[in-house]
Amino acid sequence: MRRKSLLTLVLLAACAGVSVRDHVLLPAAVLAYESLHVEIDRGIADGVADGDIDQASADVLLELADHLGVALASGDRAALVSAPWATLEVFAKRGIQDMIDDGDISPGVGALLMSRVANFRDTMAQLLLRVSLPASGVPVAINQGKP
Amino acid sequence: MNDKNTVDDFADEITELFDLKAQFLELFKDEAIAMRDDLVGAADKVADYSVEQATELAALVGQPGFAKAVRAARDNVLLKSGLRLTAQADASDARFVGLVHGALSLGARALSSGLV
């Protein structure tokens, strides 16, 4: 019986990579992005207010932010690849800094929010890495095995 | 050393060497134990990070935006857990590939000996 349990554990672990990215990493990213989206929007608004970006560029950025949210929620890996997190990250940080500057949050709270941005960046890197390279290291087509 | 003992010892060695079932199970057992240990290690690291986030939160009580900090701490723990588990899962997948390789090697050795 014990041997069967061990065998089952090993066999379950064989698909651990796929399972974790689909059932742990992605949902965590979706949840975190709900707040990050607000920070990105704030950063974009601050950029417009300060004259650093025009309204047309802001509209494009807002659309990209929505696009990333949809991509995460749907788990569409092709959409994730095309979502420019690096660009949006700049505005997430700017939004947090704007909240600090306006006194909406303390610098300590801002630091915690910044650490979420960093964790989300690492998560996105992992998700994007797995789009093209599964745990076996063999490149596969995007959305392979998915409807 | 008498002849009987020598023959028995040799028979034992042959039995052990080519008892594929026993060897496969031994492989599975070793890998399962290693995976369990890795999982425990990953869980410990996530627990440590949770404590770290809770400590940071405690220092922020009463400050503007505390509710946002609570949510950020929750997200941080979830994201970090995901990252840790992902690394763990990769290690497990790699182990499984090694396990299959080991099992195939055992089978190949038995086949080449003509005993299977």
Side-chain angles (χ1 to χ4, degrees):
Chain A
M1 181 62 79
R2 186 162 179 269
R3 282 178 171 176
K4 282 183 181 172
S5 299
L6 290 173
L7 178 60
T8 303
L9 174 61
V10 172
L11 292 176
L12 283 175
C15 50
V18 174
S19 185
V20 166
R21 70 175 160 263
D22 286 349
H23 300 295
V24 179
L25 208 53
L26 201 52
V30 169
L31 202 59
Y33 192 70
E34 287 177 13
S35 298
L36 288 168
H37 198 163
V38 174
E39 291 156 12
I40 291 167
D41 287 354
R42 174 115 180 200
I44 293 170
D46 185 55
V48 173
D50 290 355
D52 293 334
I53 52 173
D54 58 29
Q55 190 56 52
S57 301
D59 289 343
V60 172
L61 288 166
L62 290 169
E63 199 172 311
L64 290 173
D66 289 344
H67 173 71
L68 179 54
V70 171
L72 286 167
S74 68
D76 183 344
R77 297 173 186 193
L80 275 179
V81 170
S82 63
W85 165 247
T87 302
L88 297 174
E89 180 180 343
V90 173
F91 289 97
K93 289 178 177 174
R94 183 170 187 153
I96 293 168
Q97 189 57 52
D98 189 49
M99 284 188 246
I100 296 172
D101 293 344
D102 290 354
D104 293 341
I105 59 174
S106 70
V109 170
L112 205 57
L113 267 54
M114 287 290 189
S115 66
R116 174 170 56 196
V117 173
N119 280 326
F120 187 81
R121 180 201 314 133
D122 292 345
T123 299
M124 281 299 292
Q126 283 297 319
L127 287 172
L128 293 178
L129 178 70
R130 279 142 216 288
V131 168
S132 56
L133 282 177
S136 65
V138 179
V140 295
I142 289 169
N143 278 340
Q144 185 183 43
K146 298 249 174 190
Chain B
M1 186 178 293
N2 62 41
D3 287 346
K4 184 175 186 309
N5 280 348
T6 305
V7 170
D8 286 346
D9 288 346
F10 182 68
D12 286 344
E13 283 180 17
I14 291 292
T15 302
E16 188 180 337
L17 183 62
F18 294 110
D19 185 353
L20 286 176
K21 183 181 173 186
Q23 291 183 64
F24 286 156
L25 286 172
E26 195 58 34
L27 269 178
F28 285 135
K29 182 180 160 190
D30 290 346
E31 294 305 321
I33 289 170
M35 284 175 196
R36 180 200 64 190
D37 292 347
D38 284 351
L39 276 173
V40 170
D44 283 348
K45 284 176 183 170
V46 169
D48 289 346
Y49 188 73
S50 302
V51 171
E52 189 184 307
Q53 290 291 297
T55 305
E56 282 192 43
L57 269 183
L60 298 173
V61 174
Q63 293 187 16
F66 179 70
K68 289 182 189 295
V70 172
R71 188 160 184 174
R74 179 206 64 184
D75 292 345
N76 278 337
V77 171
L78 287 174
L79 291 170
K80 207 63 148 181
S81 301
L83 289 167
R84 294 277 184 206
L85 282 172
T86 301
Q88 172 55 37
D90 284 347
S92 295
D93 282 346
R95 273 212 182 85
F96 187 74
V97 171
L99 180 61
V100 170
H101 182 265
L104 288 174
S105 297
L106 285 174
R109 194 171 67 183
L111 284 170
S112 65
S113 72
L115 292 180
V116 175

